[in-house]
PDB file of all heavy atoms in Angstrom:
ATOM      1  N   GLN A 114     -61.406 115.837 170.444  1.00 68.00           N
ATOM      2  CA  GLN A 114     -61.316 116.964 169.517  1.00 68.00           C
ATOM      3  C   GLN A 114     -59.856 117.245 169.171  1.00 68.00           C
ATOM      4  O   GLN A 114     -59.030 117.481 170.049  1.00 68.00           O
ATOM      5  CB  GLN A 114     -61.957 118.219 170.131  1.00 68.00           C
ATOM      6  CG  GLN A 114     -61.994 119.411 169.190  1.00 68.00           C
ATOM      7  CD  GLN A 114     -62.847 119.145 167.951  1.00 68.00           C
ATOM      8  OE1 GLN A 114     -63.969 118.676 168.055  1.00 68.00           O
ATOM      9  NE2 GLN A 114     -62.290 119.441 166.783  1.00 68.00           N
ATOM     10  N   TYR A 115     -59.527 117.181 167.883  1.00 68.00           N
ATOM     11  CA  TYR A 115     -58.195 117.534 167.409  1.00 68.00           C
ATOM     12  C   TYR A 115     -58.280 118.849 166.629  1.00 68.00           C
ATOM     13  O   TYR A 115     -59.364 119.393 166.431  1.00 68.00           O
ATOM     14  CB  TYR A 115     -57.623 116.405 166.546  1.00 68.00           C
ATOM     15  CG  TYR A 115     -57.261 115.183 167.361  1.00 68.00           C
ATOM     16  CD1 TYR A 115     -58.158 114.111 167.473  1.00 68.00           C
ATOM     17  CD2 TYR A 115     -56.047 115.105 168.034  1.00 68.00           C
ATOM     18  CE1 TYR A 115     -57.832 112.993 168.241  1.00 68.00           C
ATOM     19  CE2 TYR A 115     -55.718 113.995 168.790  1.00 68.00           C
ATOM     20  CZ  TYR A 115     -56.612 112.940 168.893  1.00 68.00           C
ATOM     21  OH  TYR A 115     -56.298 111.850 169.657  1.00 68.00           O
ATOM     22  N   SER A 116     -57.154 119.343 166.182  1.00 66.00           N
ATOM     23  CA  SER A 116     -57.123 120.661 165.535  1.00 66.00           C
ATOM     24  C   SER A 116     -58.023 120.723 164.308  1.00 66.00           C
ATOM     25  O   SER A 116     -58.694 121.717 164.072  1.00 66.00           O
ATOM     26  CB  SER A 116     -55.681 121.022 165.148  1.00 66.00           C
ATOM     27  OG  SER A 116     -55.129 119.988 164.344  1.00 66.00           O
ATOM     28  N   ARG A 117     -58.060 119.636 163.524  1.00 72.00           N
ATOM     29  CA  ARG A 117     -58.840 119.655 162.278  1.00 72.00           C
ATOM     30  C   ARG A 117     -60.253 119.124 162.445  1.00 72.00           C
ATOM     31  O   ARG A 117     -61.178 119.588 161.803  1.00 72.00           O
ATOM     32  CB  ARG A 117     -58.114 118.861 161.199  1.00 72.00           C
ATOM     33  CG  ARG A 117     -56.842 119.529 160.706  1.00 72.00           C
ATOM     34  CD  ARG A 117     -56.108 118.645 159.743  1.00 72.00           C
ATOM     35  NE  ARG A 117     -55.660 117.426 160.411  1.00 72.00           N
ATOM     36  CZ  ARG A 117     -55.375 116.293 159.790  1.00 72.00           C
ATOM     37  NH1 ARG A 117     -55.502 116.202 158.487  1.00 72.00           N
ATOM     38  NH2 ARG A 117     -54.964 115.241 160.466  1.00 72.00           N
ATOM     39  N   GLN A 118     -60.415 118.129 163.319  1.00 68.00           N
ATOM     40  CA  GLN A 118     -61.734 117.491 163.452  1.00 68.00           C
ATOM     41  C   GLN A 118     -61.804 116.664 164.725  1.00 68.00           C
ATOM     42  O   GLN A 118     -60.805 116.473 165.411  1.00 68.00           O
ATOM     43  CB  GLN A 118     -61.997 116.597 162.239  1.00 68.00           C
ATOM     44  CG  GLN A 118     -60.967 115.487 162.067  1.00 68.00           C
ATOM     45  CD  GLN A 118     -61.185 114.680 160.818  1.00 68.00           C
ATOM     46  OE1 GLN A 118     -62.317 114.412 160.448  1.00 68.00           O
ATOM     47  NE2 GLN A 118     -60.113 114.290 160.149  1.00 68.00           N
ATOM     48  N   SER A 119     -62.983 116.172 165.001  1.00 73.00           N
ATOM     49  CA  SER A 119     -63.196 115.276 166.135  1.00 73.00           C
ATOM     50  C   SER A 119     -63.029 113.839 165.645  1.00 73.00           C
ATOM     51  O   SER A 119     -63.600 113.453 164.628  1.00 73.00           O
ATOM     52  CB  SER A 119     -64.609 115.490 166.681  1.00 73.00           C
ATOM     53  OG  SER A 119     -64.825 114.652 167.781  1.00 73.00           O
ATOM     54  N   LEU A 120     -62.217 113.047 166.345  1.00 82.00           N
ATOM     55  CA  LEU A 120     -61.926 111.675 165.921  1.00 82.00           C
ATOM     56  C   LEU A 120     -62.137 110.688 167.056  1.00 82.00           C
ATOM     57  O   LEU A 120     -61.866 111.003 168.218  1.00 82.00           O
ATOM     58  CB  LEU A 120     -60.479 111.566 165.433  1.00 82.00           C
ATOM     59  CG  LEU A 120     -60.148 112.294 164.132  1.00 82.00           C
ATOM     60  CD1 LEU A 120     -58.644 112.442 163.975  1.00 82.00           C
ATOM     61  CD2 LEU A 120     -60.737 111.543 162.948  1.00 82.00           C
ATOM     62  N   MET A 121     -62.596 109.488 166.697  1.00 86.00           N
ATOM     63  CA  MET A 121     -62.783 108.452 167.704  1.00 86.00           C
ATOM     64  C   MET A 121     -61.429 107.923 168.146  1.00 86.00           C
ATOM     65  O   MET A 121     -60.538 107.689 167.336  1.00 86.00           O
ATOM     66  CB  MET A 121     -63.646 107.316 167.156  1.00 86.00           C
ATOM     67  CG  MET A 121     -63.915 106.234 168.182  1.00 86.00           C
ATOM     68  SD  MET A 121     -65.306 105.176 167.719  1.00 86.00           S
ATOM     69  CE  MET A 121     -66.692 106.190 168.231  1.00 86.00           C
ATOM     70  N   ASN A 122     -61.276 107.750 169.467  1.00 91.00           N
ATOM     71  CA  ASN A 122     -60.071 107.185 170.043  1.00 91.00           C
ATOM     72  C   ASN A 122     -60.443 106.310 171.235  1.00 91.00           C
ATOM     73  O   ASN A 122     -61.615 106.212 171.607  1.00 91.00           O
ATOM     74  CB  ASN A 122     -59.099 108.298 170.461  1.00 91.00           C
ATOM     75  CG  ASN A 122     -57.976 108.487 169.452  1.00 91.00           C
ATOM     76  OD1 ASN A 122     -57.057 107.683 169.387  1.00 91.00           O
ATOM     77  ND2 ASN A 122     -58.069 109.545 168.661  1.00 91.00           N
ATOM     78  N   ILE A 123     -59.434 105.687 171.836  1.00 94.00           N
ATOM     79  CA  ILE A 123     -59.654 104.790 172.970  1.00 94.00           C
ATOM     80  C   ILE A 123     -59.458 105.563 174.265  1.00 94.00           C
ATOM     81  O   ILE A 123     -58.461 106.262 174.445  1.00 94.00           O
ATOM     82  CB  ILE A 123     -58.701 103.581 172.903  1.00 94.00           C
ATOM     83  CG1 ILE A 123     -58.945 102.788 171.611  1.00 94.00           C
ATOM     84  CG2 ILE A 123     -58.890 102.672 174.125  1.00 94.00           C
ATOM     85  CD1 ILE A 123     -57.917 101.718 171.335  1.00 94.00           C
ATOM     86  N   PHE A 124     -60.429 105.411 175.146  1.00 95.00           N
ATOM     87  CA  PHE A 124     -60.415 106.072 176.451  1.00 95.00           C
ATOM     88  C   PHE A 124     -60.501 105.000 177.539  1.00 95.00           C
ATOM     89  O   PHE A 124     -60.944 103.876 177.290  1.00 95.00           O
ATOM     90  CB  PHE A 124     -61.618 107.006 176.595  1.00 95.00           C
ATOM     91  CG  PHE A 124     -61.518 108.280 175.798  1.00 95.00           C
ATOM     92  CD1 PHE A 124     -61.511 108.258 174.408  1.00 95.00           C
ATOM     93  CD2 PHE A 124     -61.449 109.512 176.436  1.00 95.00           C
ATOM     94  CE1 PHE A 124     -61.436 109.429 173.666  1.00 95.00           C
ATOM     95  CE2 PHE A 124     -61.377 110.684 175.708  1.00 95.00           C
ATOM     96  CZ  PHE A 124     -61.367 110.648 174.320  1.00 95.00           C
ATOM     97  N   THR A 125     -60.100 105.375 178.752  1.00 96.00           N
ATOM     98  CA  THR A 125     -60.237 104.469 179.891  1.00 96.00           C
ATOM     99  C   THR A 125     -61.141 105.096 180.945  1.00 96.00           C
ATOM    100  O   THR A 125     -61.260 106.324 181.036  1.00 96.00           O
ATOM    101  CB  THR A 125     -58.848 104.112 180.481  1.00 96.00           C
ATOM    102  OG1 THR A 125     -58.999 103.091 181.448  1.00 96.00           O
ATOM    103  CG2 THR A 125     -58.191 105.318 181.115  1.00 96.00           C
ATOM    104  N   SER A 126     -61.789 104.222 181.723  1.00 97.00           N
ATOM    105  CA  SER A 126     -62.675 104.664 182.797  1.00 97.00           C
ATOM    106  C   SER A 126     -62.454 103.751 184.002  1.00 97.00           C
ATOM    107  O   SER A 126     -62.103 102.576 183.834  1.00 97.00           O
ATOM    108  CB  SER A 126     -64.138 104.595 182.334  1.00 97.00           C
ATOM    109  OG  SER A 126     -65.013 104.941 183.382  1.00 97.00           O
ATOM    110  N   PHE A 127     -62.658 104.290 185.195  1.00 97.00           N
ATOM    111  CA  PHE A 127     -62.426 103.533 186.425  1.00 97.00           C
ATOM    112  C   PHE A 127     -63.716 103.436 187.230  1.00 97.00           C
ATOM    113  O   PHE A 127     -64.475 104.409 187.323  1.00 97.00           O
ATOM    114  CB  PHE A 127     -61.331 104.215 187.254  1.00 97.00           C
ATOM    115  CG  PHE A 127     -60.036 104.361 186.499  1.00 97.00           C
ATOM    116  CD1 PHE A 127     -59.751 105.533 185.809  1.00 97.00           C
ATOM    117  CD2 PHE A 127     -59.123 103.326 186.448  1.00 97.00           C
ATOM    118  CE1 PHE A 127     -58.574 105.673 185.087  1.00 97.00           C
ATOM    119  CE2 PHE A 127     -57.947 103.448 185.725  1.00 97.00           C
ATOM    120  CZ  PHE A 127     -57.670 104.619 185.047  1.00 97.00           C
ATOM    121  N   PHE A 128     -63.954 102.259 187.795  1.00 97.00           N
ATOM    122  CA  PHE A 128     -65.166 102.033 188.579  1.00 97.00           C
ATOM    123  C   PHE A 128     -64.899 102.443 190.024  1.00 97.00           C
ATOM    124  O   PHE A 128     -64.164 101.787 190.755  1.00 97.00           O
ATOM    125  CB  PHE A 128     -65.576 100.562 188.505  1.00 97.00           C
ATOM    126  CG  PHE A 128     -66.987 100.315 188.947  1.00 97.00           C
ATOM    127  CD1 PHE A 128     -68.066 100.772 188.197  1.00 97.00           C
ATOM    128  CD2 PHE A 128     -67.251  99.618 190.111  1.00 97.00           C
ATOM    129  CE1 PHE A 128     -69.368 100.544 188.593  1.00 97.00           C
ATOM    130  CE2 PHE A 128     -68.555  99.379 190.518  1.00 97.00           C
ATOM    131  CZ  PHE A 128     -69.605  99.845 189.756  1.00 97.00           C
TER     132      PHE A 128
END
Side-chain angles (χ1 to χ4, degrees):
Q114 184 63 49
Y115 289 96
S116 55
R117 290 175 296 158
Q118 60 184 322
S119 181
L120 292 164
M121 182 163 279
N122 259 285
I123 300 170
F124 286 66
T125 188
S126 176
F127 302 94
F128 196 69

